Amino acid sequence: MNGLWNSFSALASDPNLRWIALGCMLLGLSSGMIGCFAYLRRQSLMGDTIAHTALPGICVAFLLSGTKSLPLFMLGAVAAGIVGTLAIRIITARSRIKPDAAMGIVLSSFFGVGIVLLTMIQHSGDGSQSGLDKFLFGQAASMIGSDVQLMAGVSVVLAAACTLLFKEFKLLSFDPAFAKGAGFPVSVLDFILQALFVTAVVAGIQAVGVVLVAALLITPAVSARFWTERLGRMLALSGLFGMVSGLLGAWISSQVSQLPTGPVSVLAAAALFLVSVVFGTKRGLLTARLTRREARRRLLLHAAEAASSASASSSTSAKEAG
Amino acid sequence: MSSSERNEIGLEASPSEQGQGAGARPARRQEGAPPVLEVSGLSSAYRSQAVLREVSFEAPQGELIAIVGPNGAGKSTLIKTILGLNPSLGGSVRAFGRPVAEVRGRIGYVPQRESVDWDFPTHALDVVMMGRYGRLGWFRRPGRKEKAIAMECLRGVGMEAFAERQISQLSGGQQQRIFLARALAQEADLYFMDEPFAGVDAATEKAIVELLRRLRSEGKTVIVVHHDLATVPDYFDSVLLLNVSLQAFGPTAETFTQENLQRTYGGRMAFAAAAASPSAAESGSAAAAPLRAAEPASASAKGAEA
């Protein structure tokens, strides 16, 4: 126990570790909040698609600049992510292909291009290319101070935007036709939300990687839904789950050598999800079972009362009921 | 908000014209006053298929107006296109003498109940409060005042006891009432309602009709996509018969005639009957189908339409 505490205080005192933990927590907070809207708009798989489409953007940014710079990579990733989302939108609007198929096509073809470019870069013999493949699975522990600050800053902006536009995003998610009828510029709002979503995905790629980053967006949101029937509380809880996941990821990976921070964060989020599925106060399995049992008990009580009142008039029927 | 303003939205007013058929009362037409809604040459298409063709009409103020027509006639499309929710291929729409985009604050909308996910994490009062969002403007959150108005609107549809109820735990009729309360909260002068009577029980239907009459007594105009031909003369002052193009429009007493209904439903129904059973068409019983549709008072008209 003492060792645990020491390791935890090391997390708070070691400046590098502290930054990484703080960055992961803020990333979890903002991803969790934005993820709620994506989940409620049935765009859960969008995060995965955007993350995969971002890879060629990172590679192109490297090929064009020839340097390894996180802000440039993020720009490339955001650009590719937006191109990917637009591609999905155009495919679904102009053809009869459904969104799930469109996402599948865009995800795999963009990711294919990304892997081809990545392989080319790795075989080009350029010394500075090493580390680009880290974007596949992420490497939060190796992030330098300025990278973490960038990620944290972006996360704070995202969380603030979600808070500021809460009312608008809520209406957009629940009833876009009504929102438009009430005079809200629905396509602008939709674009803003998508852009925030792309930014959240890209902010997480460095830490968690292309393959797993979607988990940070969706898992906390789905978990939070088990505990509440209010959107505001759902956002707060989802953000909290995301923060706890980030903290656990940073902490556990700092204790066990060779454990990657991002994937451990994702596992922590998955563990919170399991707890929510079982114990969630609104929709958890345990709650559902208890509610059912209570309903059955009342039904039996009711039947027993009916039987006993019937026995007042006929004693033989009471024996059968008993 | 002053109490006189609240009266304006009709929540405390008593239903004045209950039980009176539209046919019994003269339609209020004010000569010279600009029509509440002016639609001219409105067209819309889904892919290459025309869904609306050159629809033109002028809605007078203070009337309950039904839009009636067979499935796929473009009834919902018409109100969505008027509201600018659907792209139009041509034509113009003016409300209160101005483009719709400029007067959104005076227009209320009740979408089809099925158009939203009722499993959304929110409660009844919160949905009604969404009717105030347009007036709040950007970034501002609804406060005490909006809550009070929303509560008042819930009371107006007899749902105040369900304010804190999660919306997935409401019945279909209750959900419909919530949508109506949300439209009331918009405090509009012109309302569009997309099938508010669909799948509701008799009690809810009665409550909705009372609400419509209350709105009318306040001088509001309500345009309703309606499915049940049998109740049209009872509920509505004017009727718009639609089948891709406008078939007829005017006061119910003059417009809701056998001839007009036959024109609106006739061809489609003869075709449907012939396609469903060729032998029946040959033997001539298909010819009886359009006649059934032309009897608005009979309950069978509703079934025949489907």
Side-chain angles (χ1 to χ4, degrees):
Chain A
M1 197 61 214
N2 211 11
L4 259 179
W5 176 246
N6 284 342
S7 73
F8 206 78
S9 59
L11 196 69
S13 57
D14 182 328
N16 197 38
L17 267 181
R18 195 168 56 200
W19 266 114
I20 288 172
L22 186 69
C24 288
M25 283 169 74
L26 286 172
L27 177 72
L29 172 77
S30 61
S31 305
M33 287 172 74
I34 289 184
C36 287
F37 293 114
Y39 166 58
L40 291 171
R41 298 179 80 203
R42 300 172 187 277
Q43 292 183 336
S44 299
L45 286 175
M46 222 31 205
D48 211 22
T49 310
I50 292 167
H52 284 77
T53 55
L55 187 62
I58 294 169
C59 295
V60 168
F62 176 79
L63 286 173
L64 289 182
S65 68
T67 56
K68 192 163 170 270
S69 124
L70 187 62
L72 267 180
F73 288 170
M74 279 181 93
L75 266 182
V78 166
I82 288 176
V83 170
T85 5
L86 286 179
I88 292 166
R89 188 162 295 186
I90 290 168
I91 289 173
T92 44
R94 300 286 156 102
S95 73
R96 291 178 187 223
I97 297 169
K98 298 277 180 291
D100 59 333
M103 277 192 247
I105 291 165
V106 169
L107 182 153
S108 49
S109 47
F110 273 65
F111 193 56
V113 172
I115 293 291
V116 167
L117 289 176
L118 196 63
T119 315
M120 274 168 56
I121 291 167
Q122 277 177 323
H123 290 291
S124 67
D126 191 338
S128 62
Q129 99 279 8
S130 64
L132 211 56
D133 58 326
K134 294 287 192 300
F135 283 100
L136 276 181
F137 297 105
Q139 197 163 51
S142 72
M143 284 195 295
I144 56 170
S146 65
D147 293 353
V148 179
Q149 281 162 19
L150 180 67
M151 188 173 85
V154 167
S155 298
V156 168
V157 170
L158 289 174
C162 270
T163 312
L164 213 58
L165 288 168
F166 175 75
K167 175 186 71 171
E168 284 77 12
F169 287 162
K170 175 181 177 178
L171 191 57
L172 177 74
S173 306
F174 177 62
D175 196 345
F178 181 82
K180 202 169 174 184
F184 285 98
V186 164
S187 44
V188 173
L189 277 175
D190 188 49
F191 181 80
I192 295 174
L193 188 53
Q194 291 282 5
L196 293 178
F197 198 56
V198 170
T199 312
V201 170
V202 172
I205 284 181
Q206 161 95 344
V208 188
V210 162
V211 181
L212 285 177
V213 70
L216 279 194
L217 286 145
I218 296 310
T219 320
V222 180
S223 310
R225 189 71 183 89
F226 283 92
W227 298 91
T228 178
E229 300 283 6
R230 302 277 189 279
L231 183 60
R233 285 177 213 165
M234 182 179 166
L235 246 71
L237 262 181
S238 181
L240 180 72
F241 287 165
M243 277 175 84
V244 170
S245 305
L247 179 64
L248 285 175
W251 181 35
I252 294 173
S253 65
S254 74
Q255 290 313 296
V256 186
S257 60
Q258 302 303 320
L259 268 192
T261 305
V264 173
S265 295
V266 170
L267 283 180
L272 283 173
F273 169 71
L274 276 180
V275 171
S276 302
V277 168
V278 178
F279 299 103
T281 47
K282 290 293 176 193
R283 307 190 154 203
L285 295 176
L286 203 64
T287 314
R289 171 160 290 192
L290 288 177
T291 316
R292 232 185 354 258
R293 182 176 295 171
E294 174 65 16
R296 196 185 301 133
R297 197 183 61 82
R298 278 200 194 149
L299 204 69
L300 287 176
L301 209 68
H302 198 73
E305 272 171 17
S308 66
S309 68
S311 74
S313 57
S314 152
S315 60
T316 49
S317 65
K319 269 176 197 162
E320 282 165 14
Chain B
M1 172 189 220
S2 73
S3 68
S4 68
E5 262 180 282
R6 196 163 298 168
N7 264 330
E8 207 176 279
I9 63 174
L11 297 175
E12 287 152 22
S14 60
S16 56
E17 284 143 328
Q18 207 177 325
Q20 232 176 306
R25 55 191 291 283
R28 304 180 207 168
R29 296 264 154 111
Q30 294 170 354
E31 294 302 325
V36 172
L37 180 71
E38 217 177 332
V39 176
S40 68
L42 199 64
S43 299
S44 179
Y46 181 72
R47 300 193 193 282
S48 61
Q49 181 95 31
V51 185
L52 285 179
R53 195 177 293 128
E54 301 274 326
V55 174
S56 304
F57 68 95
E58 287 183 6
Q61 196 219 323
E63 287 202 355
L64 304 182
I65 302 167
I67 299 178
V68 171
N71 288 335
K75 303 186 292 288
S76 290
T77 309
L78 176 60
I79 62 174
K80 281 184 186 156
T81 312
I82 288 173
L83 287 167
L85 308 180
N86 247 20
S88 79
L89 279 184
S92 75
V93 178
R94 292 179 85 79
F96 311 103
R98 291 161 67 187
V100 169
E102 292 176 17
V103 286
R104 291 222 183 265
R106 298 181 66 187
I107 301 177
Y109 174 45
V110 181
Q112 280 185 25
R113 186 156 44 86
E114 296 78 25
S115 65
V116 305
D117 175 14
W118 288 94
D119 200 29
F120 198 85
T122 186
H123 56 95
L125 185 66
D126 203 33
V127 172
V128 178
M129 236 162 350
M130 290 179 189
R132 304 298 304 168
Y133 284 9
R135 298 200 169 220
L136 275 175
W138 290 83
F139 309 124
R140 284 186 54 208
R141 299 283 184 88
R144 197 176 302 238
K145 179 185 145 198
E146 276 68 35
K147 203 166 181 175
I149 296 172
M151 204 61 206
E152 198 83 352
C153 294
L154 267 180
R155 208 164 288 137
V157 296
M159 287 287 293
E160 68 271 26
F162 297 89
E164 302 278 311
R165 185 73 67 90
Q166 211 276 323
I167 55 171
S168 68
Q169 288 166 11
L170 298 170
S171 74
Q174 289 170 335
Q175 291 173 347
Q176 190 66 62
R177 290 195 211 188
I178 295 300
F179 261 15
L180 285 163
R182 181 177 68 171
L184 283 182
Q186 292 185 285
E187 294 181 340
D189 297 314
L190 169 63
Y191 284 99
F192 292 90
M193 303 185 178
D194 203 344
E195 305 225 19
F197 294 105
V200 303
D201 61 11
T204 301
E205 176 150 348
K206 191 160 169 281
I208 296 174
V209 170
E210 275 172 23
L211 180 74
L212 291 181
R213 288 179 176 150
R214 217 152 64 208
L215 287 170
R216 176 175 63 190
S217 71
E218 308 282 317
K220 320 267 180 184
T221 310
V222 189
I223 298 178
V224 179
V225 171
H226 195 55
H227 239 98
D228 183 4
L229 292 179
T231 53
V232 168
D234 225 23
Y235 295 169
F236 297 100
D237 308 311
S238 288
V239 64
L240 188 157
L241 293 168
L242 184 72
N243 193 346
V244 183
S245 55
L246 184 89
Q247 303 297 315
F249 176 64
T252 311
E254 300 155 29
T255 315
F256 201 66
T257 61
Q258 195 149 324
E259 190 195 344
N260 281 337
L261 280 168
Q262 172 119 24
R263 193 148 43 104
T264 310
Y265 286 85
R268 184 176 291 257
M269 293 191 48
F271 173 77
S277 111
S279 62
E282 282 161 27
S283 67
S285 55
L291 285 178
R292 275 202 295 160
E295 289 163 13
S298 82
S300 69
K302 196 179 171 188
E305 183 193 342

